[in-house]
Amino acid sequence: MVHNPWQRRGRDQVPGSLAVRPPTRALDRHRLRHLLDAVGAVGADMDTRTVLRRIVEAATDLVAARYGALGVLSETGEVVDLMTVGIDDPDLCAAMGLPQGHGLLHTMVDDRAPLRVADVAGHPRSAGFPPGHPVMKTLMGVPLMVRGTVYGDLYVADKFDGTAFDDDDEGLLTALAGAAGVSLENARLYEHLKRAAENFQRRMLPVLPDLAPLETAARYEPASELPRLGGDWYDAMVLPDGATCVVVGDVTGHDVEAAPLMGRIRNMLRALAFDRDEPPGQVMSRLDRALTMFDDPPTATLVLGRVEQARGEGGRGEGGPYTFRWSNAGHLPPLLVGADGRTRYLAPAQHGIPVGIDASVSRFSHEHPLPPGSTLLLFTDGLVERRGQDIDTGLDDLAEQAGRLATAPLDELCDTLISRSRQVFDDDVAVLALRVPR
């Protein structure tokens, strides 16, 4: 079997990190500046794949090599990623796959030391090249290590001028690897923190109950940058009188305090709405008064609504029209999407202020019919706000897209609306969609 020589074994634990070996000759000012620029470029991002790409690009550029690669090890020692420079054919890269631990390159990890090979084909541990792989004559590589842990290995092949790699090249690559290992560890820690924060936030949001015959779907997407803990939430439940209560809100602030405050307000609002059969504006007023128990009351914008279905004559029977009754506390208006694709923002003139500011301010209740097959969309501002863009533009875009998806399944509707605005979010996003039957 022919194996990729750019391969090595799993993760090793070593007693100390790799010392940065300086070049044997004094670097001239140009090469020193080149090294500093490369280190700066590597550490300029926290996305792991971006960091990997910058490391291998900086390595090939730094020593004027034709080819470069960086293999990354997982926590369990398996090869989980391989970033290459100089092999531009994606089909060839896919056909070669990830290294499986054979060939001469794993000696870097075994020996925990740089490797220089003047004749790859003649090396006793060379296993040849896979079909279609460029033939490489010279090779130099160093392990990527941080605090005694090998994260992977960085290697380059074939200088453009045809000369062999020398001590200065090895010193430059070793110095780059020392900085790159730290950048790679920081990127991994950053992504681990993002995942932990997102999981914490999602666990605080409810699982939607069965609200049949109403259809419901909800989505939460955290902000793209840390801190990923935010104050956006959605909620829905059946009230004792048979009405369906829906809520979308946004606690002021986007730090580690916003998520627990969101949990407090959500639970208080649930209890208040469940306690009495009263208009949403009165429930909102009672929430205002309840928040005064805090020395520093939390503030939030939210829409609280009741979806009610008219009963038949004498209160018997099903199938009557639906009505949406709601109160708005400084939040973006709900969007009503008709089955025919027509859209309308429910934004009456009497718009309340956020809760937690002044309990003496009056709250208002509004109502609007929900035609058969229509969809009610409640959302937070992260869905429509973009830096450098007027929010009205975002609202118009949302209405246009939602109108085109008027009859799509609610899961598809929510996923499309979330993804329509790109994958980078300046703020966290909560979306709750509810559709009445035809």
mmCIF file of all heavy atoms in Angstrom, residues 194-234:
data_model
loop_
_atom_site.group_PDB
_atom_site.id
_atom_site.type_symbol
_atom_site.label_atom_id
_atom_site.label_comp_id
_atom_site.label_asym_id
_atom_site.label_seq_id
_atom_site.Cartn_x
_atom_site.Cartn_y
_atom_site.Cartn_z
ATOM 1 N N LYS A 194 -17.240 29.426 23.354
ATOM 2 C CA LYS A 194 -18.437 29.775 22.594
ATOM 3 C C LYS A 194 -19.472 28.664 22.669
ATOM 4 O O LYS A 194 -20.663 28.909 22.869
ATOM 5 C CB LYS A 194 -18.085 30.067 21.132
ATOM 6 C CG LYS A 194 -17.369 31.375 20.905
ATOM 7 C CD LYS A 194 -17.466 31.827 19.466
ATOM 8 C CE LYS A 194 -16.814 30.867 18.508
ATOM 9 N NZ LYS A 194 -16.835 31.357 17.121
ATOM 10 N N ARG A 195 -19.016 27.418 22.498
ATOM 11 C CA ARG A 195 -19.953 26.291 22.551
ATOM 12 C C ARG A 195 -20.574 26.157 23.928
ATOM 13 O O ARG A 195 -21.778 25.893 24.063
ATOM 14 C CB ARG A 195 -19.232 25.003 22.155
ATOM 15 C CG ARG A 195 -18.893 24.902 20.687
ATOM 16 C CD ARG A 195 -18.504 23.487 20.311
ATOM 17 N NE ARG A 195 -17.330 23.036 21.045
ATOM 18 C CZ ARG A 195 -16.093 23.182 20.627
ATOM 19 N NH1 ARG A 195 -15.857 23.784 19.466
ATOM 20 N NH2 ARG A 195 -15.076 22.729 21.340
ATOM 21 N N ALA A 196 -19.771 26.331 24.978
ATOM 22 C CA ALA A 196 -20.293 26.208 26.337
ATOM 23 C C ALA A 196 -21.340 27.292 26.624
ATOM 24 O O ALA A 196 -22.386 27.026 27.217
ATOM 25 C CB ALA A 196 -19.149 26.297 27.349
ATOM 26 N N ALA A 197 -21.044 28.524 26.193
ATOM 27 C CA ALA A 197 -21.994 29.612 26.416
ATOM 28 C C ALA A 197 -23.292 29.379 25.647
ATOM 29 O O ALA A 197 -24.396 29.603 26.164
ATOM 30 C CB ALA A 197 -21.362 30.940 25.991
ATOM 31 N N GLU A 198 -23.170 28.905 24.405
ATOM 32 C CA GLU A 198 -24.364 28.653 23.611
ATOM 33 C C GLU A 198 -25.210 27.530 24.213
ATOM 34 O O GLU A 198 -26.439 27.626 24.279
ATOM 35 C CB GLU A 198 -23.965 28.289 22.183
ATOM 36 C CG GLU A 198 -25.146 28.024 21.269
ATOM 37 C CD GLU A 198 -24.721 27.690 19.863
ATOM 38 O OE1 GLU A 198 -23.563 27.958 19.505
ATOM 39 O OE2 GLU A 198 -25.555 27.157 19.102
ATOM 40 N N ASN A 199 -24.558 26.467 24.676
ATOM 41 C CA ASN A 199 -25.305 25.362 25.293
ATOM 42 C C ASN A 199 -26.025 25.823 26.545
ATOM 43 O O ASN A 199 -27.164 25.426 26.807
ATOM 44 C CB ASN A 199 -24.357 24.211 25.620
ATOM 45 C CG ASN A 199 -23.866 23.495 24.389
ATOM 46 O OD1 ASN A 199 -24.509 23.541 23.341
ATOM 47 N ND2 ASN A 199 -22.722 22.839 24.485
ATOM 48 N N PHE A 200 -25.363 26.668 27.344
ATOM 49 C CA PHE A 200 -25.996 27.201 28.547
ATOM 50 C C PHE A 200 -27.239 28.012 28.191
ATOM 51 O O PHE A 200 -28.295 27.864 28.806
ATOM 52 C CB PHE A 200 -24.998 28.066 29.308
ATOM 53 C CG PHE A 200 -25.579 28.772 30.508
ATOM 54 C CD1 PHE A 200 -25.790 28.090 31.689
ATOM 55 C CD2 PHE A 200 -25.916 30.116 30.440
ATOM 56 C CE1 PHE A 200 -26.328 28.738 32.792
ATOM 57 C CE2 PHE A 200 -26.452 30.772 31.530
ATOM 58 C CZ PHE A 200 -26.662 30.083 32.719
ATOM 59 N N GLN A 201 -27.103 28.850 27.174
ATOM 60 C CA GLN A 201 -28.235 29.687 26.762
ATOM 61 C C GLN A 201 -29.398 28.840 26.265
ATOM 62 O O GLN A 201 -30.552 29.067 26.618
ATOM 63 C CB GLN A 201 -27.782 30.644 25.656
ATOM 64 C CG GLN A 201 -28.868 31.582 25.134
ATOM 65 C CD GLN A 201 -29.059 32.795 26.021
ATOM 66 O OE1 GLN A 201 -28.189 33.089 26.837
ATOM 67 N NE2 GLN A 201 -30.174 33.479 25.881
ATOM 68 N N ARG A 202 -29.102 27.846 25.439
ATOM 69 C CA ARG A 202 -30.179 27.020 24.873
ATOM 70 C C ARG A 202 -30.898 26.224 25.956
ATOM 71 O O ARG A 202 -32.099 25.980 25.855
ATOM 72 C CB ARG A 202 -29.605 26.088 23.808
ATOM 73 C CG ARG A 202 -29.119 26.814 22.552
ATOM 74 C CD ARG A 202 -28.740 25.843 21.457
ATOM 75 N NE ARG A 202 -28.124 26.512 20.318
ATOM 76 C CZ ARG A 202 -28.801 27.117 19.363
ATOM 77 N NH1 ARG A 202 -30.126 27.144 19.405
ATOM 78 N NH2 ARG A 202 -28.179 27.698 18.353
ATOM 79 N N ARG A 203 -30.167 25.803 26.984
ATOM 80 C CA ARG A 203 -30.805 25.041 28.059
ATOM 81 C C ARG A 203 -31.786 25.897 28.862
ATOM 82 O O ARG A 203 -32.658 25.365 29.548
ATOM 83 C CB ARG A 203 -29.748 24.453 28.985
ATOM 84 C CG ARG A 203 -28.984 23.285 28.360
ATOM 85 C CD ARG A 203 -27.921 22.752 29.299
ATOM 86 N NE ARG A 203 -27.207 21.629 28.706
ATOM 87 C CZ ARG A 203 -27.596 20.369 28.798
ATOM 88 N NH1 ARG A 203 -28.712 20.075 29.463
ATOM 89 N NH2 ARG A 203 -26.897 19.397 28.246
ATOM 90 N N MET A 204 -31.623 27.212 28.800
ATOM 91 C CA MET A 204 -32.530 28.096 29.522
ATOM 92 C C MET A 204 -33.819 28.361 28.743
ATOM 93 O O MET A 204 -34.767 28.905 29.304
ATOM 94 C CB MET A 204 -31.837 29.433 29.830
ATOM 95 C CG MET A 204 -30.647 29.310 30.755
ATOM 96 S SD MET A 204 -30.029 30.915 31.290
ATOM 97 C CE MET A 204 -31.365 31.492 32.330
ATOM 98 N N LEU A 205 -33.848 28.003 27.467
ATOM 99 C CA LEU A 205 -35.041 28.230 26.656
ATOM 100 C C LEU A 205 -35.947 27.007 26.709
ATOM 101 O O LEU A 205 -35.468 25.871 26.820
ATOM 102 C CB LEU A 205 -34.645 28.540 25.211
ATOM 103 C CG LEU A 205 -33.854 29.834 25.032
ATOM 104 C CD1 LEU A 205 -33.340 29.955 23.604
ATOM 105 C CD2 LEU A 205 -34.711 31.045 25.386
ATOM 106 N N PRO A 206 -37.266 27.214 26.636
ATOM 107 C CA PRO A 206 -38.195 26.099 26.804
ATOM 108 C C PRO A 206 -38.311 25.240 25.553
ATOM 109 O O PRO A 206 -38.006 25.677 24.442
ATOM 110 C CB PRO A 206 -39.521 26.808 27.079
ATOM 111 C CG PRO A 206 -39.419 28.095 26.302
ATOM 112 C CD PRO A 206 -37.969 28.500 26.420
ATOM 113 N N VAL A 207 -38.758 24.007 25.759
ATOM 114 C CA VAL A 207 -39.192 23.155 24.654
ATOM 115 C C VAL A 207 -40.661 23.474 24.408
ATOM 116 O O VAL A 207 -41.478 23.437 25.336
ATOM 117 C CB VAL A 207 -39.019 21.664 25.006
ATOM 118 C CG1 VAL A 207 -39.577 20.794 23.882
ATOM 119 C CG2 VAL A 207 -37.553 21.350 25.254
ATOM 120 N N LEU A 208 -41.003 23.836 23.185
ATOM 121 C CA LEU A 208 -42.373 24.247 22.900
ATOM 122 C C LEU A 208 -43.341 23.089 23.136
ATOM 123 O O LEU A 208 -43.090 21.964 22.673
ATOM 124 C CB LEU A 208 -42.497 24.748 21.455
ATOM 125 C CG LEU A 208 -41.775 26.047 21.122
ATOM 126 C CD1 LEU A 208 -41.996 26.400 19.655
ATOM 127 C CD2 LEU A 208 -42.231 27.183 22.011
ATOM 128 N N PRO A 209 -44.454 23.345 23.812
ATOM 129 C CA PRO A 209 -45.448 22.297 24.017
ATOM 130 C C PRO A 209 -46.275 22.072 22.753
ATOM 131 O O PRO A 209 -46.187 22.844 21.790
ATOM 132 C CB PRO A 209 -46.312 22.854 25.146
ATOM 133 C CG PRO A 209 -46.246 24.342 24.952
ATOM 134 C CD PRO A 209 -44.849 24.621 24.449
ATOM 135 N N ASP A 210 -47.071 21.025 22.772
ATOM 136 C CA ASP A 210 -48.003 20.769 21.671
ATOM 137 C C ASP A 210 -49.172 21.739 21.798
ATOM 138 O O ASP A 210 -49.927 21.697 22.771
ATOM 139 C CB ASP A 210 -48.487 19.317 21.742
ATOM 140 C CG ASP A 210 -49.410 18.971 20.575
ATOM 141 O OD1 ASP A 210 -49.577 19.820 19.674
ATOM 142 O OD2 ASP A 210 -49.975 17.856 20.580
ATOM 143 N N LEU A 211 -49.321 22.607 20.821
ATOM 144 C CA LEU A 211 -50.371 23.633 20.848
ATOM 145 C C LEU A 211 -51.436 23.369 19.791
ATOM 146 O O LEU A 211 -52.156 24.276 19.390
ATOM 147 C CB LEU A 211 -49.761 25.021 20.631
ATOM 148 C CG LEU A 211 -48.696 25.445 21.651
ATOM 149 C CD1 LEU A 211 -48.092 26.788 21.260
ATOM 150 C CD2 LEU A 211 -49.284 25.515 23.056
ATOM 151 N N ALA A 212 -51.544 22.129 19.342
ATOM 152 C CA ALA A 212 -52.522 21.769 18.311
ATOM 153 C C ALA A 212 -53.919 22.259 18.696
ATOM 154 O O ALA A 212 -54.294 22.241 19.871
ATOM 155 C CB ALA A 212 -52.521 20.258 18.115
ATOM 156 N N PRO A 213 -54.660 22.780 17.711
ATOM 157 C CA PRO A 213 -54.414 22.706 16.262
ATOM 158 C C PRO A 213 -53.475 23.785 15.723
ATOM 159 O O PRO A 213 -53.251 23.856 14.523
ATOM 160 C CB PRO A 213 -55.811 22.872 15.676
ATOM 161 C CG PRO A 213 -56.498 23.767 16.651
ATOM 162 C CD PRO A 213 -55.996 23.345 18.007
ATOM 163 N N LEU A 214 -52.952 24.633 16.613
ATOM 164 C CA LEU A 214 -51.977 25.630 16.161
ATOM 165 C C LEU A 214 -50.630 24.948 15.885
ATOM 166 O O LEU A 214 -50.229 24.039 16.614
ATOM 167 C CB LEU A 214 -51.791 26.706 17.227
ATOM 168 C CG LEU A 214 -53.036 27.519 17.618
ATOM 169 C CD1 LEU A 214 -52.705 28.433 18.782
ATOM 170 C CD2 LEU A 214 -53.538 28.325 16.437
ATOM 171 N N GLU A 215 -49.947 25.403 14.843
ATOM 172 C CA GLU A 215 -48.590 24.936 14.561
ATOM 173 C C GLU A 215 -47.598 25.959 15.092
ATOM 174 O O GLU A 215 -47.828 27.169 15.007
ATOM 175 C CB GLU A 215 -48.368 24.777 13.058
ATOM 176 C CG GLU A 215 -49.260 23.763 12.375
ATOM 177 C CD GLU A 215 -48.997 23.728 10.875
ATOM 178 O OE1 GLU A 215 -47.808 23.774 10.485
ATOM 179 O OE2 GLU A 215 -49.968 23.688 10.105
ATOM 180 N N THR A 216 -46.490 25.477 15.657
ATOM 181 C CA THR A 216 -45.485 26.387 16.201
ATOM 182 C C THR A 216 -44.081 25.903 15.853
ATOM 183 O O THR A 216 -43.844 24.706 15.648
ATOM 184 C CB THR A 216 -45.585 26.507 17.734
ATOM 185 O OG1 THR A 216 -45.485 25.207 18.319
ATOM 186 C CG2 THR A 216 -46.886 27.169 18.151
ATOM 187 N N ALA A 217 -43.176 26.839 15.785
ATOM 188 C CA ALA A 217 -41.748 26.540 15.618
ATOM 189 C C ALA A 217 -40.979 27.718 16.202
ATOM 190 O O ALA A 217 -41.467 28.857 16.214
ATOM 191 C CB ALA A 217 -41.381 26.332 14.149
ATOM 192 N N ALA A 218 -39.794 27.454 16.707
ATOM 193 C CA ALA A 218 -38.974 28.510 17.303
ATOM 194 C C ALA A 218 -37.513 28.230 17.013
ATOM 195 O O ALA A 218 -37.103 27.081 16.813
ATOM 196 C CB ALA A 218 -39.211 28.601 18.806
ATOM 197 N N ARG A 219 -36.720 29.289 17.001
ATOM 198 C CA ARG A 219 -35.293 29.181 16.797
ATOM 199 C C ARG A 219 -34.583 30.189 17.695
ATOM 200 O O ARG A 219 -35.089 31.270 17.970
ATOM 201 C CB ARG A 219 -34.903 29.457 15.341
ATOM 202 C CG ARG A 219 -35.396 28.452 14.332
ATOM 203 C CD ARG A 219 -34.728 27.103 14.489
ATOM 204 N NE ARG A 219 -35.128 26.181 13.450
ATOM 205 C CZ ARG A 219 -36.222 25.408 13.501
ATOM 206 N NH1 ARG A 219 -37.031 25.479 14.563
ATOM 207 N NH2 ARG A 219 -36.503 24.579 12.507
ATOM 208 N N TYR A 220 -33.391 29.791 18.123
ATOM 209 C CA TYR A 220 -32.509 30.713 18.837
ATOM 210 C C TYR A 220 -31.123 30.615 18.213
ATOM 211 O O TYR A 220 -30.626 29.516 17.984
ATOM 212 C CB TYR A 220 -32.416 30.391 20.325
ATOM 213 C CG TYR A 220 -31.383 31.239 21.027
ATOM 214 C CD1 TYR A 220 -31.676 32.550 21.388
ATOM 215 C CD2 TYR A 220 -30.103 30.748 21.284
ATOM 216 C CE1 TYR A 220 -30.715 33.344 21.982
ATOM 217 C CE2 TYR A 220 -29.138 31.534 21.884
ATOM 218 C CZ TYR A 220 -29.451 32.840 22.239
ATOM 219 O OH TYR A 220 -28.506 33.630 22.813
ATOM 220 N N GLU A 221 -30.516 31.752 17.917
ATOM 221 C CA GLU A 221 -29.173 31.793 17.355
ATOM 222 C C GLU A 221 -28.355 32.798 18.151
ATOM 223 O O GLU A 221 -28.718 33.971 18.257
ATOM 224 C CB GLU A 221 -29.217 32.206 15.879
ATOM 225 C CG GLU A 221 -27.889 32.087 15.167
ATOM 226 C CD GLU A 221 -27.463 30.648 14.969
ATOM 227 O OE1 GLU A 221 -28.357 29.770 14.836
ATOM 228 O OE2 GLU A 221 -26.256 30.378 14.964
ATOM 229 N N PRO A 222 -27.244 32.371 18.762
ATOM 230 C CA PRO A 222 -26.455 33.307 19.563
ATOM 231 C C PRO A 222 -25.677 34.275 18.686
ATOM 232 O O PRO A 222 -25.483 34.041 17.489
ATOM 233 C CB PRO A 222 -25.509 32.374 20.332
ATOM 234 C CG PRO A 222 -25.340 31.197 19.428
ATOM 235 C CD PRO A 222 -26.671 31.014 18.738
ATOM 236 N N ALA A 223 -25.221 35.344 19.292
ATOM 237 C CA ALA A 223 -24.346 36.272 18.587
ATOM 238 C C ALA A 223 -23.073 35.545 18.181
ATOM 239 O O ALA A 223 -22.635 34.595 18.827
ATOM 240 C CB ALA A 223 -24.023 37.472 19.473
ATOM 241 N N SER A 224 -22.475 35.999 17.090
ATOM 242 C CA SER A 224 -21.315 35.298 16.545
ATOM 243 C C SER A 224 -20.061 35.516 17.378
ATOM 244 O O SER A 224 -19.154 34.698 17.365
ATOM 245 C CB SER A 224 -21.066 35.763 15.112
ATOM 246 O OG SER A 224 -22.181 35.458 14.298
ATOM 247 N N GLU A 225 -19.987 36.620 18.080
ATOM 248 C CA GLU A 225 -18.801 36.915 18.867
ATOM 249 C C GLU A 225 -19.105 36.781 20.350
ATOM 250 O O GLU A 225 -20.244 36.945 20.791
ATOM 251 C CB GLU A 225 -18.298 38.342 18.580
ATOM 252 C CG GLU A 225 -17.932 38.578 17.124
ATOM 253 C CD GLU A 225 -16.777 37.707 16.679
ATOM 254 O OE1 GLU A 225 -15.899 37.412 17.517
ATOM 255 O OE2 GLU A 225 -16.743 37.303 15.502
ATOM 256 N N LEU A 226 -18.068 36.454 21.130
ATOM 257 C CA LEU A 226 -18.224 36.400 22.576
ATOM 258 C C LEU A 226 -18.475 37.795 23.123
ATOM 259 O O LEU A 226 -17.942 38.763 22.599
ATOM 260 C CB LEU A 226 -16.970 35.820 23.214
ATOM 261 C CG LEU A 226 -16.769 34.318 23.044
ATOM 262 C CD1 LEU A 226 -15.420 33.911 23.644
ATOM 263 C CD2 LEU A 226 -17.880 33.525 23.678
ATOM 264 N N PRO A 227 -19.255 37.947 24.249
ATOM 265 C CA PRO A 227 -19.895 36.834 24.938
ATOM 266 C C PRO A 227 -21.137 36.364 24.198
ATOM 267 O O PRO A 227 -21.925 37.166 23.734
ATOM 268 C CB PRO A 227 -20.274 37.433 26.294
ATOM 269 C CG PRO A 227 -20.504 38.876 26.009
ATOM 270 C CD PRO A 227 -19.522 39.244 24.908
ATOM 271 N N ARG A 228 -21.310 35.043 24.071
ATOM 272 C CA ARG A 228 -22.458 34.495 23.359
ATOM 273 C C ARG A 228 -23.670 34.334 24.269
ATOM 274 O O ARG A 228 -24.707 33.857 23.831
ATOM 275 C CB ARG A 228 -22.078 33.161 22.718
ATOM 276 C CG ARG A 228 -21.162 33.359 21.509
ATOM 277 C CD ARG A 228 -20.524 32.089 21.057
ATOM 278 N NE ARG A 228 -21.434 31.175 20.393
ATOM 279 C CZ ARG A 228 -21.705 31.196 19.097
ATOM 280 N NH1 ARG A 228 -21.160 32.117 18.327
ATOM 281 N NH2 ARG A 228 -22.508 30.310 18.566
ATOM 282 N N LEU A 229 -23.540 34.688 25.526
ATOM 283 C CA LEU A 229 -24.694 34.710 26.412
ATOM 284 C C LEU A 229 -25.473 35.986 26.154
ATOM 285 O O LEU A 229 -24.911 37.073 26.157
ATOM 286 C CB LEU A 229 -24.260 34.653 27.874
ATOM 287 C CG LEU A 229 -23.631 33.344 28.339
ATOM 288 C CD1 LEU A 229 -23.133 33.488 29.758
ATOM 289 C CD2 LEU A 229 -24.638 32.218 28.249
ATOM 290 N N GLY A 230 -26.764 35.873 25.950
ATOM 291 C CA GLY A 230 -27.588 37.039 25.678
ATOM 292 C C GLY A 230 -28.891 36.973 26.442
ATOM 293 O O GLY A 230 -29.139 36.063 27.226
ATOM 294 N N GLY A 231 -29.745 37.944 26.178
ATOM 295 C CA GLY A 231 -30.996 38.039 26.913
ATOM 296 C C GLY A 231 -32.227 37.791 26.073
ATOM 297 O O GLY A 231 -33.341 38.092 26.506
ATOM 298 N N ASP A 232 -32.089 37.263 24.869
ATOM 299 C CA ASP A 232 -33.251 37.004 24.010
ATOM 300 C C ASP A 232 -33.923 35.702 24.415
ATOM 301 O O ASP A 232 -33.246 34.723 24.748
ATOM 302 C CB ASP A 232 -32.824 36.918 22.553
ATOM 303 C CG ASP A 232 -32.385 38.259 21.992
ATOM 304 O OD1 ASP A 232 -32.074 39.165 22.790
ATOM 305 O OD2 ASP A 232 -32.347 38.411 20.762
ATOM 306 N N TRP A 233 -35.256 35.675 24.344
ATOM 307 C CA TRP A 233 -35.967 34.441 24.647
ATOM 308 C C TRP A 233 -37.309 34.399 23.943
ATOM 309 O O TRP A 233 -37.813 35.406 23.451
ATOM 310 C CB TRP A 233 -36.152 34.275 26.158
ATOM 311 C CG TRP A 233 -37.378 34.910 26.748
ATOM 312 C CD1 TRP A 233 -38.592 34.316 26.980
ATOM 313 C CD2 TRP A 233 -37.527 36.253 27.226
ATOM 314 N NE1 TRP A 233 -39.472 35.192 27.561
ATOM 315 C CE2 TRP A 233 -38.845 36.398 27.725
ATOM 316 C CE3 TRP A 233 -36.676 37.368 27.279
ATOM 317 C CZ2 TRP A 233 -39.324 37.583 28.273
ATOM 318 C CZ3 TRP A 233 -37.148 38.551 27.822
ATOM 319 C CH2 TRP A 233 -38.459 38.646 28.307
ATOM 320 N N TYR A 234 -37.863 33.188 23.888
ATOM 321 C CA TYR A 234 -39.219 32.971 23.391
ATOM 322 C C TYR A 234 -39.906 32.024 24.365
ATOM 323 O O TYR A 234 -39.261 31.304 25.131
ATOM 324 C CB TYR A 234 -39.211 32.371 21.979
ATOM 325 C CG TYR A 234 -38.477 31.054 21.873
ATOM 326 C CD1 TYR A 234 -39.080 29.848 22.266
ATOM 327 C CD2 TYR A 234 -37.169 31.012 21.381
ATOM 328 C CE1 TYR A 234 -38.387 28.650 22.189
ATOM 329 C CE2 TYR A 234 -36.488 29.817 21.300
ATOM 330 C CZ TYR A 234 -37.104 28.642 21.705
ATOM 331 O OH TYR A 234 -36.431 27.449 21.647
#
